[in-house]
Amino acid sequence: MTYKKTEPFEGSSFPLRVTVQKQKKILVNPHWHEHLEMMLVLAGRVRMQLSGKVYEGEAGDIFFVNSNVLHGVEALEAGAELLGVVWDIHLITSLMEEVELQHLYHLLIRSEVHPVLARARQPEWDAYGGALLEVRREYESRGLGYRTAIKFGVFQLVREQLRKLPGAEDLMKITQDYERLKPAIECIEQGYSGKLLLEEVAGAAGLSLFHFCRLFKRVMNRTVQQFVQEVRLREARRLLRDTDLPMAELSERVGYCNPNYFARVFREHTGTTPLRMRKQFQDMNAAGQQPHE
């Protein structure tokens, strides 16, 4: 059976999970999720199914599972062990200040990337293997600053892939176009709570609506409407975390006049309701944990 899986992360504040699968024939039941994942074969031999293709791996081999890719793993011999690191696509976006990285990251998520990152004893193994094992060590030790250390470890893993993506050499042009869009982006980030007129947003960048929408999609790798929604939902998460505003008032503050429509959009994009996410934040605060976006 194949199905969509929602990982049991610690919560929306730190959407990452590290597991070790062993002592069973089916190490990973076939499923897919919207998250990203890297797998390291710790021992033995395994067979992986990824998007209908079959790959065999042995101890030391590293595989990448992109967002929305169907995958499953079977042990080919007793003693096979598999390390898995799975994280939400938004975990490390706060570390990507350069628009070049943001652009390539979104490109990576939407691309058909070869799943075999590195084979054991190959030169490129060090770039991935060391970071994966360090992420595991930090996750299991839960020492001071472990979440920050893990985020940087995951960023290091992703950075290696971004540098290999086709088009990475064209980043200077992307940067110039982004600078041209900056006034419009600021207009959205400042006016998301009201009714945004696309003509006015395009005018802030000195562009016609047609050329603005085309340029925005090419540079930001999403439509203007999708970006507006991201900004609104990001602010909604912050308000759920930091305030006790009634849901009707909160939804209006982030640009949704209809609370029911806001709740539906929120659930579609986060997998949970606004009230449940607020409860998660409250439970974390009661336990003395500090959530981070």
Side-chain angles (χ1 to χ4, degrees), residues 100-116:
E100 301 97 319
L101 286 176
Q102 297 172 21
H103 177 81
L104 287 177
Y105 187 50
H106 285 283
L107 186 63
L108 170 70
I109 294 168
R110 291 164 174 79
S111 300
E112 291 188 12
V113 182
H114 197 281
V116 181

Side-chain angles (χ1 to χ4, degrees), residues 73-284:
V73 187
E74 172 189 4
L76 293 179
E77 60 185 37
E81 294 186 18
L82 184 71
L83 171 69
V85 178
V86 56
W87 68 93
D88 183 85
I89 59 177
H90 301 296
L91 176 74
I92 58 172
T93 51
S94 62
L95 302 180
M96 299 182 184
E97 296 184 2
E98 298 96 331
V99 68
E100 301 97 319
L101 286 176
Q102 297 172 21
H103 177 81
L104 287 177
Y105 187 50
H106 285 283
L107 186 63
L108 170 70
I109 294 168
R110 291 164 174 79
S111 300
E112 291 188 12
V113 182
H114 197 281
V116 181
L117 284 184
R119 295 291 189 179
R121 297 175 295 277
Q122 287 184 344
E124 61 267 27
W125 191 94
D126 289 341
Y128 298 102
L132 274 171
L133 294 174
E134 180 65 14
V135 167
R136 178 190 181 184
R137 188 189 70 80
E138 290 285 352
Y139 186 85
E140 293 178 346
S141 68
R142 306 278 172 132
L144 179 65
Y146 80 97
R147 290 184 174 187
T148 301
I150 287 174
K151 286 183 180 181
F152 278 105
V154 172
F155 174 74
Q156 180 181 340
L157 292 167
V158 171
R159 181 187 62 192
E160 294 301 318
Q161 291 178 281
L162 299 185
R163 289 175 171 174
K164 298 176 182 178
L165 277 178
E169 66 279 2
D170 298 328
L171 292 182
M172 184 58 69
K173 181 64 166 63
I174 295 172
T175 302
Q176 293 171 351
D177 288 339
Y178 178 77
E179 289 298 321
R180 191 175 184 185
L181 290 175
K182 226 173 181 181
I185 293 172
E186 292 173 354
C187 179
I188 293 171
E189 292 180 334
Q190 294 171 6
Y192 64 87
S193 61
K195 184 177 181 180
L196 285 167
L197 298 177
L198 285 183
E199 291 82 0
E200 294 181 2
V201 176
L207 295 167
S208 69
L209 180 59
F210 174 76
H211 287 97
F212 170 69
C213 289
R214 287 188 61 186
L215 182 64
F216 193 97
K217 179 69 182 298
R218 179 163 60 82
V219 173
M220 303 297 287
N221 212 26
R222 51 219 194 262
T223 66
V224 182
Q225 292 86 346
Q226 287 171 332
F227 180 73
V228 170
Q229 195 166 72
E230 288 178 12
V231 172
R232 286 173 168 166
L233 293 178
R234 183 180 65 205
E235 178 63 10
R237 288 192 292 269
R238 187 190 70 79
L239 291 174
L240 289 169
R241 183 190 67 195
D242 297 340
T243 75
D244 295 318
L245 287 173
M247 211 51 61
E249 184 178 347
L250 187 149
S251 62
E252 188 173 352
R253 282 202 186 187
V254 296
Y256 295 95
C257 298
N258 186 324
N260 293 328
Y261 177 68
F262 162 67
R264 185 166 71 249
V265 171
F266 190 92
R267 183 167 188 170
E268 287 175 355
H269 287 80
T270 66
T272 189
T273 67
L275 289 175
R276 286 177 184 166
M277 181 169 285
R278 172 172 279 171
K279 181 67 164 53
Q280 288 177 352
F281 285 137
Q282 291 172 343
D283 290 344
M284 292 175 63

Side-chain angles (χ1 to χ4, degrees), residues 2-6 30-34 68 268:
T2 62
Y3 60 97
K4 179 180 179 180
K5 182 179 180 182
T6 301
H31 69 283
W32 63 276
H33 45 59
E34 296 176 349
N68 298 314
E268 287 175 355

